[in-house]
Amino acid sequence: MPQFPLSSLPKLALLAPFALLGACQSNSTTTETATTTSAAADSSAAAATAPPDSAGKKKYLAAPLVKDIYTADPSAHVFNGRIYIYPSHDIDTGMPENDNGDHFAMRDYHILSMDSVGGKVTDHGVALDIKDIPWAGRQLWAPDAAFKDGTYYLYFPVKDKQDIFRIGVATSKSPTGPFKAEPKPMEGSLSIDPAVFTDTDGKTYMYMGGIWGGQLQRWRTGKYDASKPKEQEPAATEPSVGPRVARLGADMKQFAEPVREVKIVDKDGKVLLSGDNNRRFFEGAWMHKFNGKYYLTYSTGDTHFLAYATSTSPYGPFTYQGNFMNPVQGWTTHHSIIEFKGKWYIFYHDTELSNKTWLRNVKVTELKRGADGSIATINP
C-alpha cells in the first residue's frame, strides 16, 4: 500500500501504474519446493508494509509456496484429492510502468500442485504459452480452471490482436496440461479474471471482469468503447461497475446465455457507488458456497482490501458483508477459496520475495468463519 492515505486523494490521482492484476510465464521443467519461510527486504514505496517483529524484520502470516519463479493470482481447485493451483506467472519485462499495466506482460502459465497444505509444492512447468493461442496479442493474465467428464478446462484472459481483453479456453486430459487453446475467444466474453464455479446442481458459471486496465468500464453500454482511452470508473456518485456472470454451456467452451452484470448492494439494497472505494468491486472475483449461501469475494483495488458479499442466487444481487483481508504487501490483491479435508483455505499473493508490485509470490492460509457464516478478518 502507498505510504499515504489513498482515501484522501481525488480519484484521478489514484490511477497509478499499479492498477492491475497480472498473470503468467516461465521455464518448462518440473520442480518441487518445500514451503519454508524466507526473509523479506524493505517494501517499495507502492507496497503495503508488513509489521516488524522484535528483531525489526517484517512478519508475514504465510510463506511463499514457490521461490524459483514469481507467481500471482492463484486459482486453486481440488481434483482427485490433490490441490492444483492455476496462477499467473510474473516476469520482469524491463518495461516502464504505466496506467495500462503494459509492464504486466506475462506470456505463459505454470501449474502448481500439492497433496497437503504445508507440504511439498510441485511446479509442473509450462502448461500453455501465448505463442500457442492463435488469436492472442499480449498480456496473459489471471486464469482459472474447471473439470467435467474427463476433460480439464483452462480459462484465460488475454488481449486480442485489437488490444481488447477477451476470455479464451484451452483443454487437456490432465489437470497439469499441456493445454490446447481453442482457435477463437469465447463469444461474448470480455475483460479479465475469469472465475469458474460449479454449483451443487451441476450448473457451471463464469464470473469475470476488472476495471481500469481490465477494461470492464469500457463495456458499460454493452459494447466495447475505445473512444476514451483514459476513461476510468463512473462518477463517484454513480453506481459502481459490477463483475459479469454467465452460465456455461454443456461443452464448457461457450456461454449458454447472455452475459449479465452482477449487482453488489448495501444492507438497504442500494447498489454500491463508484466512489465507495472501500467496498465496491474492482477486480478478482471468486465464488464459493457455504451452508447454502453464495459468497462473492473480490478485490477493492485501489484500497487493497478483499471484500465479500452474499446472496441466495449465483446471479445475485449480492449484499456486501464486509472486508475480510487487510492489504497485502504490494499494490494488487487476488485470491481463491477452497475447502480441503474439512477446512477452508484462501490462496493469495504478495510481494515478499521481490518487494516489487509486478513480481509476486503465491501463499495460502486457513480461512475461518464465525458461527453465523461471517468470514474472520485476515492480517497477511
Side-chain angles (χ1 to χ4, degrees):
M1 178 185 288
Q3 297 175 349
F4 41 80
L6 285 169
S7 58
S8 67
L9 298 177
K11 182 171 293 185
L12 288 178
L14 296 175
L15 307 184
F18 307 130
L20 301 163
L21 289 174
C24 92
Q25 165 150 26
S26 137
N27 61 51
S28 59
T29 58
T30 297
T31 60
E32 289 190 346
T33 305
T35 54
T36 56
T37 57
S38 68
D42 292 337
S43 64
S44 66
T49 303
D53 62 15
S54 59
K57 295 181 179 180
K58 281 181 288 185
K59 296 170 60 180
Y60 299 89
L61 179 63
L65 294 184
V66 293
K67 300 178 182 179
D68 55 333
I69 62 172
Y70 293 111
T71 54
D73 313 320
S75 292
H77 293 273
V78 179
F79 297 134
N80 302 316
R82 185 175 175 87
I83 298 173
Y84 291 87
I85 307 161
Y86 299 83
S88 306
H89 176 200
D90 285 348
I91 56 171
D92 198 343
T93 64
M95 300 175 67
E97 301 161 21
N98 61 30
D99 290 353
N100 296 322
D102 291 328
H103 50 296
F104 287 99
M106 301 76 165
R107 298 191 294 268
D108 66 14
Y109 294 122
H110 280 231
I111 296 169
L112 311 176
S113 71
M114 55 187 179
D115 284 321
S116 62
V117 174
K120 284 187 175 181
V121 179
T122 300
D123 175 356
H124 296 274
V126 175
L128 179 65
D129 192 292
I130 195 170
K131 65 180 174 59
D132 297 320
I133 303 170
W135 56 273
R138 62 189 181 115
Q139 295 179 291
L140 199 59
W141 284 8
D144 195 15
F147 172 78
K148 183 180 179 180
D149 296 337
T151 299
Y152 294 88
Y153 298 85
L154 181 68
Y155 300 93
F156 55 88
V158 67
K159 285 181 176 176
D160 62 17
K161 306 295 186 182
Q162 288 72 47
D163 231 28
I164 301 173
F165 270 116
R166 307 281 187 180
I167 308 297
V169 58
T171 57
S172 175
K173 292 300 180 180
S174 167
T176 60
F179 285 86
K180 180 176 176 57
E182 293 293 305
K184 295 181 180 180
M186 299 176 69
E187 183 69 27
S189 67
L190 51 89
S191 196
I192 61 172
D193 297 346
V196 180
F197 164 75
T198 299
D199 205 346
T200 48
D201 62 3
K203 294 179 181 178
T204 300
Y205 304 84
M206 178 183 290
Y207 299 82
M208 69 196 104
I211 59 174
W212 292 13
Q215 302 179 340
L216 184 58
Q217 74 283 352
R218 298 190 183 193
W219 290 90
R220 291 169 64 189
T221 65
K223 295 183 178 180
Y224 184 80
D225 182 3
S227 65
K228 299 177 181 179
K230 293 297 182 182
E231 180 186 354
Q232 297 295 331
E233 297 176 82
T237 56
E238 293 180 338
S240 58
V241 177
R244 302 301 196 264
V245 63
R247 182 170 55 85
L248 291 175
D251 68 354
M252 299 288 281
K253 297 179 180 179
Q254 296 296 337
F255 299 130
E257 60 187 10
V259 173
R260 66 181 79 179
E261 185 171 6
V262 175
K263 301 295 185 183
I264 304 173
V265 302
D266 62 19
K267 296 296 177 63
D268 296 323
K270 296 180 180 179
V271 175
L272 299 183
L273 299 181
S274 180
D276 192 352
N277 297 52
N278 283 328
R279 301 193 297 172
R280 63 88 172 88
F281 170 80
F282 189 97
E283 62 191 351
W286 187 260
M287 177 61 64
H288 74 278
K289 197 174 184 180
F290 179 75
N291 282 352
K293 188 176 293 185
Y294 298 90
Y295 283 70
L296 176 70
T297 51
Y298 58 91
S299 170
T300 64
D302 54 343
T303 49
H304 315 288
F305 294 107
L306 289 182
Y308 76 107
T310 59
S311 178
T312 57
S313 167
Y315 295 110
F318 289 86
T319 302
Y320 172 85
Q321 300 295 337
N323 295 336
F324 70 96
M325 179 175 269
N326 288 325
V328 299
Q329 176 176 292
W331 203 99
T332 68
T333 183
H334 192 119
H335 74 294
S336 61
I337 295 170
I338 63 168
E339 184 179 15
F340 185 66
K341 296 183 178 179
K343 291 185 177 182
W344 288 87
Y345 296 93
I346 179 170
F347 291 76
Y348 64 100
H349 68 235
D350 65 16
T351 62
E352 177 180 348
L353 294 180
S354 73
N355 294 299
K356 296 179 180 180
T357 202
W358 62 94
L359 297 176
R360 297 156 293 182
N361 46 255
V362 168
K363 297 183 172 184
V364 61
T365 193
E366 187 175 352
L367 186 84
K368 299 181 179 180
R369 305 176 194 266
D372 60 354
S374 59
I375 302 178
T377 301
I378 300 169
N379 293 306

